[in-house]
């Protein structure tokens, strides 16, 4: 039984490790190595990936989560969820502040009865997921919420600290610590800050207000609601034993407020498996038990049948939803035509079945590499912004509602390329390696060099060579593929940019470098369906000219 | 500069050993060397041909009396390479890392207290620093490679001789170094036709878009009139990119020259480089502008040119 008392400590250790690992992976810059593994622990990502038609890998992850819940309840919520850990830490700090600063003990918690109404907000979020894609769902999905907050709120704090250190070091002539350039993004701040405020507000509420320190987890969180439904039939769960003295300590420490010490009952669907109750019990009044004691044989059989039925029903419903969701969703307008014709690609890029470029719908931003198409990307991205954290030049930014012609609310948190701030590095595919929901499919740097996410076009009337009659060439200078070149066309005796859009990968280097503001003379038009660009033109002739003979001057 | 002065003062008070850095950090030191300081017996321009760029540098510097002519013991040196692109050394878009390493070593042998290096690149700086091989080479030789990516490193200065570029934000290391060495690579450039020594100084300025939007050639010439100038320009003309510059494309043509051009006069060095490139210096507007503004000579007439082979 001593082991049971230590469970709470063990889970604190686990939750703290997960939290630390995520902080190390996201702003810490170790995302490329850590995220592929860390992302797999997140039930919400498995759910979003599976419901978007991600298939077997996400199905297996989801099945593992469901099985864990069926075996021992919502262990995800207390052991693996970084948002859960953040809430617990916040509550602890708040209680400490209560007793140290205000000189009064934190209010004791009391049981509240569970209401079926608590399924309404998560239900609404699931409805959004099916009708609008995972954007709105991701506003409340715990991993997305947490990771978004890390990028929008932890990073500026990190920048402040690092830059102060760097300033001191640079003044001593060291220059070993590069500064972090942080530019404010009000939309991303709001999308991260407002849901987080709601979470913390609920977590900090007093004993009278429902629904307790893990209020978010039991009133809003869609992952918590789903796992709760399964955990209602969990096999090994917290139950009262004959040794319970009825002291009520367990009830007062229960973050989910799901223990009724009077009736000696635990609502397993709300229990987040933190095991604080086991720790608090002075006798052995609570234990992790497969069945209540005592239980008649008939009772036991009924219970076990219920476990099986609930598990099977949830599994079947999820599987059905996974199959049906992609069919239910309205297909994106993928008009044929303007894209380049199908071509026999070469090398690795051709191995991936990328469709031919499509026309652009009403209004959309340039989607990151690996997004494949608007329907693929918008159908899977929960807006966790892990890719933003992984992007070295920070060209990836939250798109915001104004970037979209339709479904603005559902798509506002989706990341997109912002060529006003930076441009995409041709040999870099870091964003595609960190996506936990599969919205960005992994690309190798070699493959990515040919993935066409947009097509550059010149508005000649805006070009400084025409308007100012001065040489520029910034666009051609920055182009990594040779798609933008100066000449052979000329205006006023000077070469103007000529764009070979079939070789353009849409990296935005030309648009970013263009000195014309507010609207650049070279713009990258987004592609609703990403394509494969033609390879860069090869050199004519053979080898270098030899000039090593006589001195040239 | 207030932040910097403050930080320096605080650290200097904390550790007396660091206090020695204060004068150079306060930006009071005059630029070392310069065209005016070169004695007539010394060559105006040196061209060294040879495949071994390190040996070519040794020979070229010896013609000027060694690095000691430009770098005095205890001085801080900034070497400004071209590492603007995340392209491997073979691409000819960046200065040769072998040349950079040898330069840093020469500076230390001449008694330099500290050698720094940076470039405000076009590609993401981390990638450009790494792919160019220069970061590793300079670090190996004991130099400091400074980051360029935050606007806070750049401070506004007035360029009195500038026709268009009257003000620019310049990297603090360019302002502080006792000696500046300019180490460009010779290559084609889509905007100006040619990129070499004068164009390379664009990489110490924060806002490149101003140049492009307002007159690239004139802005390049304008910045060379600024009081702080390189004491010596060392042009890497080993494998010269003839097309698709400045980044270089798969279709780029190259000319193997195995040449190193050294000289204190930045305009004359560019004129010589233009000739080496296979063009007339008059084809490139900024060279003529530089000469007209009195920065240096736009032709090689009357210059003491030494031609050496390794």
């Amino acid at each position: 039984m001593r082991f049971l008392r230590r469970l709470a400590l063990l889970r604190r250790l686990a939750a703290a490790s997960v939290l630390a690992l995520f902080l190390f992976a996201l702003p810490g810059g170790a995302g490329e190595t850590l995220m592929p593994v860390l992302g797999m622990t997140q039930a919400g990502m498995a759910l979003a990936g599976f419901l978007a038609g991600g298939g077997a890998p996400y199905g297996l992850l989801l099945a593992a989560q469901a099985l864990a819940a069926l075996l021992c309840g919502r262990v995800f919520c207390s052991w693996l969820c970084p948002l859960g850990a953040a809430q617990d830490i916040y509550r602890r700090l708040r209680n400490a502040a209560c007793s140290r600063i205000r000189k009064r003990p934190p209010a004791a918690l009391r049981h509240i009865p569970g209401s079926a109404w608590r399924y309404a907000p998560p239900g609404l979020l699931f409805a959004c997921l099916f009708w609008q894609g995972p954007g709105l769902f991701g506003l409340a999905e715990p991993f997305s919420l947490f990771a978004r907050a890390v990028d929008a709120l932890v990073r500026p704090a990190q920048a402040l600290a690092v830059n102060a250190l760097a300033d001191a070091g640079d003044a001593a002539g060291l220059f070993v610590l590069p500064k972090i350039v942080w530019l404010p993004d009000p939309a991303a701040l709001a999308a991260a800050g407002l849901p987080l405020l709601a979470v913390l507000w609920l977590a900090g509420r007093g004993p009278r207000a429902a629904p307790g320190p893990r209020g978010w987890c039991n009133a809003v969180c869609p992952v918590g609601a789903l796992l709760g439904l399964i955990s209602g039939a969990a096999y090994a769960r917290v139950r009262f034993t004959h040794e319970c003295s009825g002291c009520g300590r367990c009830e007062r420490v229960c973050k989910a407020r799901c223990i009724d010490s009077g009736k000696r009952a635990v609502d397993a669907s709300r229990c987040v498996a933190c095991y604080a109750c086991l720790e608090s019990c002075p006798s052995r009044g609570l234990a992790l038990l497969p069945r209540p004691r005592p239980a008649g044989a008939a009772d036991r059989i009924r219970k076990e049948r219920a476990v099986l039925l609930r598990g099977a029903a949830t599994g079947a419903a999820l599987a059905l939803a996974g199959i049906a969701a992609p069919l239910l969703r309205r297909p994106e307008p993928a008009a044929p035509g303007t894209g380049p014709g199908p071509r026999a690609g070469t090398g690795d890029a051709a191995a991936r079945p990328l469709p031919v470029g499509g026309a652009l719908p009403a209004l959309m931003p340039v989607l990151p590499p690996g997004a494949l198409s608007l329907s693929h990307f918008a159908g899977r991205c929960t807006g966790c912004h892990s890719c933003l954290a992984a992007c070295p030049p920070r060209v990836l930014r939250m798109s915001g509602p104004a970037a979209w012609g339709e479904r603005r609310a559902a798509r506002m948190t989706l990341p997109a390329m912002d060529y006003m701030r930076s441009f995409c590095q041709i040999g870099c595919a870091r964003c595609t390696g960190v996506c936990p929901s599969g919205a960005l499919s992994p690309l190798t740097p070699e493959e990515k060099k040919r993935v066409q996410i947009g097509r550059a076009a010149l508005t000649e009337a805006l070009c400084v060579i025409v308007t100012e009659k001065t040489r520029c060439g910034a666009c051609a200078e920055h182009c990594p593929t040779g798609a933008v070149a100066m000449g052979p066309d000329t205006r006023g005796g000077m070469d103007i940019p000529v764009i070979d859009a079939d070789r353009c990968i849409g990296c935005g280097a030309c648009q970013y470098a263009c000195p014309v503001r507010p609207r650049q003379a070279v713009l990258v038009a987004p592609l609703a369906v990403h394509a494969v660009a033609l390879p860069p033109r090869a050199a004519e002739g053979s080898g270098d000219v030899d000039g090593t003979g006589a001195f040239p001057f | 500069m207030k932040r910097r002065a403050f930080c320096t003062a605080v650290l200097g008070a904390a550790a007396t050993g660091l206090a020695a850095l204060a004068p150079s950090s306060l930006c009071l030191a005059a630029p070392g060397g310069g065209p005016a300081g070169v004695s007539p017996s010394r060559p105006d321009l040196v061209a060294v041909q040879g495949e071994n760029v390190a040996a070519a540098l040794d020979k070229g510097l010896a013609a000027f009396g060694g690095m000691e002519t430009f770098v005095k013991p205890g001085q801080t040196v900034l070497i400004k390479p071209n590492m603007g692109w995340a392209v491997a050394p073979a691409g000819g878009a960046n200065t040769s890392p072998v040349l950079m390493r040898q330069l840093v070593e020469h500076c230390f042998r001449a008694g330099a207290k500290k050698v720094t290096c940076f470039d405000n690149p076009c590609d993401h700086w981390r990638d450009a620093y790494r792919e160019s091989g220069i970061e590793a080479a300079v670090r190996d030789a004991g130099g400091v490679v400074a980051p360029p990516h935050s606007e806070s490193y750049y401070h506004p200065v007035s360029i009195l001789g500038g026709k268009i570029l009257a003000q620019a934000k310049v990297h603090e290391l360019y302002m502080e170094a006792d000696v500046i060495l300019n180490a460009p690579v010779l290559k084609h450039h889509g905007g100006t036709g040619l990129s070499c020594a004068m164009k390379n100084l664009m990489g110490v300025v924060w806002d490149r878009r101003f140049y492009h939007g307002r007159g690239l050639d004139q802005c390049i010439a304008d910045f060379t009139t600024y009081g702080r100038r390189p004491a010596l320009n060392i042009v890497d003309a080993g494998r010269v990119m003839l097309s698709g510059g400045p980044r270089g494309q798969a279709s780029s043509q190259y000319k193997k020259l195995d040449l190193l051009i050294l000289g204190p006069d930045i305009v004359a060095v560019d004129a010589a480089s233009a000739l080496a490139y296979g063009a007339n210096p008059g084809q490139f507007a900024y060279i003529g502008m530089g000469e007209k503004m009195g920065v240096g000579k736009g032709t090689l007439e009357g210059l003491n040119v030494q031609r050496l082979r390794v």
Side-chain angles (χ1 to χ4, degrees):
Chain A
M1 289 307 263
R2 288 191 64 175
F3 168 72
L4 282 184
R5 292 171 146 262
R6 290 211 178 126
L7 264 180
L9 192 70
L10 209 65
R11 86 96 201 157
R12 265 179 226 129
L13 216 68
S17 315
V18 170
L19 190 69
L21 279 171
F22 272 120
L23 287 176
F24 188 54
L26 295 167
E32 247 184 311
T33 40
L34 287 177
M35 277 306 287
V37 180
L38 279 178
M40 288 201 283
T41 63
Q42 296 304 304
M45 294 291 104
L47 187 64
F50 180 65
L51 292 185
Y58 294 98
L60 279 175
L61 289 175
L62 192 60
Q65 295 281 0
L67 196 69
L70 210 53
L71 275 175
C72 35
R74 289 167 65 176
V75 278
F76 168 79
C77 302
S78 280
W79 295 62
L80 294 176
C81 177
L83 188 68
Q87 287 175 79
D88 292 350
I89 290 169
Y90 172 73
R91 181 74 179 186
R92 253 167 196 272
L93 291 175
R94 200 174 181 283
N95 282 353
C98 238
S99 47
R100 293 231 180 96
I101 300 164
R102 294 198 210 152
K103 304 283 179 207
R104 66 186 156 92
L109 294 162
R110 284 281 172 213
H111 166 259
I112 47 167
S115 153
W117 283 109
R118 72 173 189 273
Y119 288 112
L124 203 66
L125 287 164
F126 272 106
C128 288
L129 176 65
F130 287 117
W131 288 329
Q132 297 277 304
L136 288 168
F137 173 84
L139 280 179
E141 191 279 318
F143 172 71
S144 306
L145 201 165
F146 167 80
R148 215 166 40 234
V150 165
D151 192 62
L153 303 164
V154 175
R155 199 166 166 272
Q158 183 196 14
L160 266 179
V162 167
N163 293 354
L165 262 174
D167 268 335
D170 294 354
L174 293 174
F175 292 106
V176 281
L177 190 64
K179 288 184 185 175
I180 295 177
V181 179
W182 180 77
L183 299 169
D185 187 343
L189 215 63
L194 295 178
L196 188 72
L197 267 180
V199 172
L200 297 184
W201 178 71
L202 280 174
R205 298 209 71 190
R208 289 196 184 173
R214 283 297 196 99
W216 180 270
C217 311
N218 275 327
V220 186
C221 180
V223 177
L226 183 72
L227 292 177
L229 278 174
I230 303 172
S231 301
Y235 180 70
R237 60 169 102 157
V238 177
R239 292 182 208 264
F240 282 90
T241 68
H242 290 307
E243 289 174 58
C244 171
S245 65
C247 69
R249 281 194 177 91
C250 51
E251 183 173 334
R252 292 196 287 274
V253 297
C254 179
K255 285 180 285 203
R257 302 182 74 178
C258 69
I259 299 179
D260 188 343
S261 60
K263 286 187 188 153
R264 300 195 179 170
V266 182
D267 181 351
S269 68
R270 281 187 291 152
C271 168
V272 290
C274 71
Y275 305 134
C277 47
L278 301 180
E279 192 185 38
S280 75
C281 185
S283 53
R284 292 166 183 177
L286 285 158
L288 281 180
L289 294 172
R291 60 191 74 92
R293 282 179 199 170
D299 206 22
R300 198 163 63 231
I301 291 166
R302 202 171 62 232
K303 280 277 180 189
E304 275 167 8
R305 192 191 293 145
V307 169
L308 275 173
L309 280 176
R310 278 174 102 149
T314 317
L318 275 174
L320 262 177
I323 297 159
L327 303 175
L328 281 174
R329 214 163 282 135
R330 190 146 47 99
E332 298 298 334
T338 63
R343 47 177 88 92
T346 52
D348 292 328
R352 195 170 293 278
L354 280 175
V356 178
L360 97 133
L363 180 66
M364 63 174 280
V366 180
L367 305 179
L372 303 184
S373 68
L374 176 60
S375 55
H376 177 272
F377 185 60
R380 282 160 204 246
C381 178
T382 60
C384 75
H385 296 182
S386 297
C387 51
L388 270 69
C391 179
R394 303 288 301 187
V395 60
L396 271 174
R397 247 181 107 187
M398 187 175 115
S399 55
W404 300 93
E406 50 178 25
R407 299 192 194 180
R408 292 188 163 179
R411 289 173 179 172
M412 67 182 178
T413 56
L414 266 52
M417 312 301 265
D418 180 2
Y419 295 146
M420 290 297 275
R421 286 210 172 169
S422 193
F423 64 95
C424 184
Q425 298 291 301
I426 184 165
C428 168
R430 289 184 181 90
C431 55
T432 70
V434 300
C435 182
S437 73
L440 299 181
S441 54
L443 293 169
T444 66
E446 267 323 297
E447 284 174 316
K448 195 225 143 187
K449 285 180 181 172
R450 295 270 308 278
V451 172
Q452 188 181 52
I453 60 174
R455 290 161 72 89
L458 171 74
T459 311
E460 205 185 295
L462 288 177
C463 181
V464 290
I465 297 169
V466 175
T467 58
E468 309 289 319
K469 304 199 172 18
T470 173
R471 284 178 212 283
C472 173
C475 49
E477 178 178 334
H478 280 69
C479 180
T481 65
V484 187
M486 299 308 285
D489 298 358
T490 57
R491 296 288 178 278
M494 284 179 286
D495 288 343
I496 60 159
V498 177
I499 300 175
D500 180 356
D502 285 352
R503 291 181 206 279
C504 172
I505 56 167
C507 72
C510 51
Q511 181 175 341
Y512 173 73
C514 179
V516 182
R517 289 293 184 279
R519 182 195 182 281
Q520 293 103 323
V522 190
L523 289 180
V524 176
L527 284 181
V529 180
H530 287 181
V532 179
L534 285 179
R537 216 180 292 278
E540 289 164 24
S542 55
D544 298 358
V545 180
D546 187 25
T548 54
F551 273 95
F553 51 83
Chain B
M1 298 308 286
K2 273 182 186 167
R3 170 189 58 78
R4 187 161 186 79
F6 171 75
C7 290
T8 313
V10 169
L11 281 163
T16 40
L18 290 175
L21 290 174
S24 68
S25 302
L26 287 171
C27 241
L28 297 169
V38 180
S39 73
S41 61
R42 224 174 280 149
D44 297 311
L45 197 89
V46 172
V48 193
Q49 204 175 59
E51 221 165 341
N52 185 342
V53 67
L57 179 66
D58 297 347
K59 199 155 189 179
L61 284 173
F64 286 100
M67 189 57 103
E68 293 78 4
T69 310
F70 308 101
V71 178
K72 304 289 175 233
Q75 285 189 317
T76 58
V77 183
L78 166 72
I79 309 176
K80 165 63 180 73
N82 188 333
M83 50 173 166
W85 305 98
V87 171
N94 305 310
T95 308
S96 150
V98 182
L99 173 67
M100 285 301 292
R101 181 200 298 265
Q102 195 72 0
L103 266 174
V104 176
E105 281 171 3
H106 270 288
C107 292
F108 280 124
R109 253 178 263 147
K113 184 172 67 183
K114 192 165 131 187
V115 181
T116 57
C117 155
F118 80 94
D119 191 9
N120 183 12
C122 299
D123 273 334
H124 186 58
W125 71 279
R126 290 266 205 202
D127 296 349
Y129 275 34
R130 188 187 57 248
E131 294 296 315
S132 68
I134 295 176
E135 184 177 36
V138 170
R139 286 225 171 107
D140 276 0
V144 173
V145 183
H149 62 298
S150 168
E151 196 173 351
S152 64
Y153 297 126
Y154 298 78
H155 305 287
V157 299
S158 295
I159 297 148
L160 297 176
K163 285 186 176 164
I164 298 174
L165 191 74
Q167 263 206 338
K169 282 184 131 184
V170 175
H171 197 287
E172 55 198 30
L173 284 177
Y174 191 80
M175 310 298 297
E176 287 163 6
D178 296 329
V179 182
I180 298 159
L181 301 178
N182 188 19
V185 62
L186 173 62
K187 57 179 175 176
H188 168 251
H189 191 280
T192 58
L194 187 77
S195 175
C196 197
M198 294 172 76
K199 174 78 177 63
N200 193 39
L201 291 187
M202 200 167 156
V204 306
V205 174
W206 174 249
D207 188 5
R208 246 195 307 273
R209 257 183 226 110
F210 184 90
Y211 279 56
H212 280 281
R214 302 295 291 277
L216 192 51
D217 290 305
Q218 187 60 56
C219 287
I220 289 168
D222 283 353
F223 190 75
T224 58
T225 67
Y226 180 56
R228 296 186 68 84
R229 289 177 202 179
L232 183 68
N233 303 282
I234 307 103
V235 179
D236 170 11
R239 185 173 184 238
V240 178
M241 188 194 295
L242 297 179
S243 63
R247 190 185 210 281
Q249 306 294 349
S251 60
S252 286
Q253 302 283 319
Y254 291 87
K255 180 158 81 171
K256 195 171 153 67
L257 273 180
D258 290 338
L259 196 67
L260 208 60
I261 301 165
L262 301 94
D265 179 342
I266 194 166
V267 185
V269 162
D270 270 5
S273 301
L275 291 169
Y277 181 79
N280 189 330
Q283 278 173 254
F284 310 111
Y286 65 84
I287 296 180
M289 291 169 176
E291 185 178 32
K292 212 179 288 173
M293 294 167 93
V295 179
K297 280 187 67 85
T299 56
L300 302 189
E301 274 170 56
L303 290 185
N304 176 9
V305 180
Q306 279 194 19
R307 297 166 183 83
L308 310 168
R309 274 183 215 275
V310 185

